[in-house]
Amino acid sequence: MAESKEKAWANPERHSIPIKSILVTQPQPTTDNSPYLSIAEKYGIKVDFRAFIEVEPVSYKEFRKDKVDILAHTAVIFTSRNAVDHFFRICQESKIEMPADMKYFCISDQTAYYLQKYITLRKRKLFVGEKTAKDLFEVIKKHKNENFLYPCSNIRKDDIPGFLKANKIKHTEAIIYKTVEADLSDLDDVTYDCIAFFSPSGISSLFINFPNFKQNNTRIAAFGPTTAKAVRDAGLELDIEAPMPNAPSMTGAIEVYIQSHKK
């Protein structure tokens, strides 16, 4: 996380400058139906994608140092595809086969669907939140006697561990992958009309790779409250904050901004 910087955005009139280029700090979509590409076509905007953070696996040798007994648990919490991939990688390297009665708690339908890449799902063993961690809490409360395993990154939100601790639910955290700043030395600069961020790590990566970055006329977009806070802590002005009541996605929030600042 970048240290808090003195606020020094230069041009309050920049909101009158049309957005003609957007840098999305995530990997290039693998399909042609990305909502960012729809925005690009609809408004004649150049949209580039570049992941500002990368995922590195925790080795099996390193994992063993934490002495986590996977099979001592009766339930697993998954909050992302990365968690699913790296958990089953560790299982494979440990020569562990997950028992048929293991319960799986997934933060969303998308994560639950992805889980089918590794196991045959049984409805009575799969529990899914609607979208957020808070949604999943209500599901977990009904199974508070389980012994939960929470596979996660070295950088993770406090919401799930905090909830489990507060409700005295037996659980173990298992760090199975690491989130690190990407090497962006291949980029000449990051001069875009808008840059979209999705995590505090993305802000940290910006200043590690471009320590002299100045916001100038760039509009900054952030998804989620922790990312928004990181933007402000870095001395940047936050122009687009998602989700919004009328725009739950980043692309929706960007489009609302574009529409509201049309000349």
Side-chain angles (χ1 to χ4, degrees), residues 9 24 26 36 48 51 54 60 67 69 71 89 106-107 110 119 122 132 173 177 182 186 200 203 206 213 215 251:
W9 44 85
V24 181
Q26 288 187 325
Y36 292 101
D48 290 336
E54 295 177 345
Y60 174 55
K67 299 181 179 179
D69 184 354
L71 295 180
R89 171 185 59 81
C106 297
I107 198 166
Q110 290 87 348
I119 60 170
R122 295 173 174 82
T132 68
E173 284 187 51
Y177 65 99
D186 57 304
I203 304 298
L206 171 69
F213 174 79
Q215 184 169 359
T251 49

Side-chain angles (χ1 to χ4, degrees), residues 188-221:
D188 292 332
D189 56 49
V190 282
T191 305
Y192 287 81
D193 294 324
C194 177
I195 305 178
F197 292 95
F198 301 84
S199 71
S201 299
I203 304 298
S204 176
S205 182
L206 171 69
F207 284 101
I208 286 174
N209 283 278
F210 304 96
N212 298 318
F213 174 79
K214 302 295 182 185
Q215 184 169 359
N216 297 323
N217 295 327
T218 298
R219 268 53 61 89
I220 300 293

Side-chain angles (χ1 to χ4, degrees), residues 29-221:
T30 56
T31 62
D32 295 330
N33 60 351
S34 166
Y36 292 101
L37 302 182
S38 299
I39 284 182
E41 184 176 348
K42 183 176 181 180
Y43 297 101
I45 293 173
K46 175 189 175 186
V47 179
D48 290 336
F49 298 87
R50 182 64 164 89
F52 271 39
I53 59 174
E54 295 177 345
V55 169
E56 291 183 352
V58 167
S59 69
Y60 174 55
K61 183 178 179 180
E62 189 175 354
F63 172 78
R64 286 185 62 188
K65 291 179 181 178
D66 291 334
K67 299 181 179 179
V68 175
D69 184 354
I70 293 175
L71 295 180
H73 300 81
T74 60
V76 185
I77 299 172
F78 289 120
T79 58
S80 70
R81 291 184 178 187
N82 280 327
V84 173
D85 282 336
H86 288 283
F87 174 77
F88 284 98
R89 171 185 59 81
I90 290 290
C91 287
Q92 183 180 27
E93 293 175 7
S94 307
K95 295 181 172 54
I96 288 175
E97 185 174 343
M98 298 303 288
D101 60 351
M102 181 67 74
K103 295 181 180 179
Y104 300 94
F105 292 74
C106 297
I107 198 166
S108 65
D109 285 330
Q110 290 87 348
T111 306
Y113 181 79
Y114 190 73
L115 187 56
Q116 295 180 84
K117 178 179 177 181
Y118 295 96
I119 60 170
T120 300
L121 296 178
R122 295 173 174 82
K123 287 187 177 180
R124 63 191 177 86
K125 300 300 179 186
L126 177 66
F127 307 91
V128 185
E130 291 184 14
K131 191 172 183 181
T132 68
K134 285 186 177 180
D135 299 328
L136 191 58
F137 294 164
E138 297 305 312
V139 180
I140 292 175
K141 280 181 181 178
K142 299 175 182 178
H143 302 268
K144 59 184 180 181
N145 293 325
E146 302 292 341
N147 183 8
F148 287 89
L149 180 63
Y150 176 39
C152 59
S153 166
N154 61 319
I155 298 175
R156 53 101 179 113
K157 295 180 180 178
D158 294 330
D159 48 4
I160 290 177
F163 166 80
L164 296 171
K165 290 175 184 176
N167 288 272
K168 298 181 179 178
I169 297 173
K170 193 173 181 181
H171 69 282
T172 305
E173 284 187 51
I175 297 175
I176 55 172
Y177 65 99
K178 296 178 181 179
T179 304
V180 299
E181 294 83 7
D183 179 1
L184 305 177
S185 57
D186 57 304
L187 294 180
D188 292 332
D189 56 49
V190 282
T191 305
Y192 287 81
D193 294 324
C194 177
I195 305 178
F197 292 95
F198 301 84
S199 71
S201 299
I203 304 298
S204 176
S205 182
L206 171 69
F207 284 101
I208 286 174
N209 283 278
F210 304 96
N212 298 318
F213 174 79
K214 302 295 182 185
Q215 184 169 359
N216 297 323
N217 295 327
T218 298
R219 268 53 61 89
I220 300 293

Side-chain angles (χ1 to χ4, degrees), residues 4-19:
S4 181
K5 301 176 184 294
E6 182 182 354
K7 296 179 180 180
W9 44 85
N11 182 11
E13 301 300 319
R14 72 186 189 287
H15 297 291
S16 63
I17 301 172
I19 290 180

